[in-house]
Amino acid sequence: DAGITQSPRYKITETGRQVTLMCHQTWSHSYMFWYRQDLGHGLRLIYYSAAADITDKGEVPDGYVVSRSKTENFPLTLESATRSQTSVYFCASSEASTGGKAFFGQGTRLTVV
Amino acid sequence: GDSVTQMEGPVTLSEEAFLTINCTYTATGYPSLFWYVQYPGEGLQLLLKATKADDKGSNKGFEATYRKETTSFHLEKGSVQVSDSAVYFCALSGTNNNAGNMLTFGGGTRLMVKP
């Protein structure tokens, strides 16, 4: 199916474990983004990528790692999960020419216990 | 850096009432402005946008006008429906050419419309 998909939709993990959230888009958009959504903070940018093999930090990158070996995939890894990383994570993509019009996945609800 | 401030919710209205959700921004340069909507259990989707001063974005009965003099982009709808119940996010696109597609979001405003 065309679009942007995230997996898993729900994940419970233990403190200290490594966990990877997956994001796949079928449009070949240049830009991809990871946001986290928390009550009182809206959406905050974790990392973004302007193209394959090009990534850069956003507002809250600490504790996260990303890679973009292929244009369509942009996985987000929590190297050693902490309770403060309990959140809803959204992946998004956009084309360079659209100046901010982004398409969002359905989100991954991550709980760190 | 860039920032967006929007009114805190929840906003509770009766069906057919008039809606205003305030949004103001701080940015260098000339950002594009957006309203995104998030329905329960879903990701965000673009509702409307405006790319320059005095532009009016509109969609599904919602409107917002880019006011550079007051750095505002307030969302309005003349008659809300129960189906409009959602969380609304004001956002601006990055003014840095290296991240021109990067969005900065406000905190979101939950709208609840009662029949």
Side-chain angles (χ1 to χ4, degrees):
Chain A
D1 290 336
I4 182 164
T5 54
Q6 294 182 234
S7 61
R9 289 292 310 278
Y10 303 92
K11 176 75 176 177
I12 300 175
T13 192
E14 294 179 339
T15 301
R17 291 203 181 256
Q18 183 181 81
V19 60
T20 296
L21 310 184
M22 305 301 292
C23 179
H24 175 80
Q25 53 111 349
T26 61
W27 295 298
S28 298
H29 285 167
S30 302
Y31 282 86
M32 296 189 75
F33 308 86
W34 276 106
Y35 292 89
R36 59 177 291 173
Q37 183 179 27
D38 304 291
L39 267 176
H41 291 281
L43 275 80
R44 292 180 291 175
L45 183 66
I46 304 170
Y47 269 96
Y48 69 99
S49 168
D53 297 322
I54 301 175
T55 63
D56 208 348
K57 297 177 180 179
E59 182 184 353
V60 288
D62 293 343
Y64 303 95
V65 174
V66 294
S67 62
R68 187 130 180 246
S69 57
K70 293 183 178 181
T71 299
E72 60 266 30
N73 296 324
F74 192 40
L76 176 73
T77 298
L78 287 67
E79 295 183 293
S80 177
T82 66
R83 289 198 179 91
S84 65
Q85 293 176 309
T86 293
S87 186
V88 180
Y89 291 85
F90 286 100
C91 179
S93 71
S94 69
E95 190 45 67
S97 60
T98 61
K101 178 181 177 181
F103 296 85
F104 283 78
Q106 289 190 293
T108 295
R109 183 176 293 276
L110 176 68
T111 303
V112 183
V113 298
Chain B
D2 298 344
S3 67
V4 177
T5 302
Q6 57 182 109
M7 59 189 293
E8 290 190 20
V11 174
T12 304
L13 297 173
S14 297
E15 210 165 21
E16 299 184 1
F18 185 86
L19 169 71
T20 300
I21 300 178
N22 290 337
C23 171
T24 57
Y25 68 91
T26 302
T28 55
Y30 302 95
S32 293
L33 301 175
F34 305 83
W35 279 99
Y36 279 82
V37 59
Q38 183 182 30
Y39 298 103
E42 298 183 10
L44 282 70
Q45 52 186 279
L46 179 66
L47 180 60
L48 54 85
K49 67 180 280 189
T51 58
K52 61 183 187 297
D54 300 324
D55 266 3
K56 177 186 283 187
S58 62
N59 186 25
K60 299 181 182 179
F62 291 89
E63 293 183 340
T65 301
Y66 190 145
R67 301 287 188 199
K68 188 162 178 63
E69 64 276 14
T70 55
T71 62
S72 64
F73 193 55
H74 305 321
L75 182 69
E76 297 182 336
K77 187 175 185 182
S79 176
V80 294
Q81 306 300 313
V82 172
S83 57
D84 294 326
S85 298
V87 180
Y88 292 81
F89 290 91
C90 186
L92 62 82
S93 66
T95 52
N96 180 335
N97 285 335
N98 290 331
N101 280 39
M102 204 166 69
L103 289 164
T104 299
F105 286 91
T109 303
R110 180 176 299 278
L111 170 65
M112 295 188 291
V113 181
K114 297 185 176 180

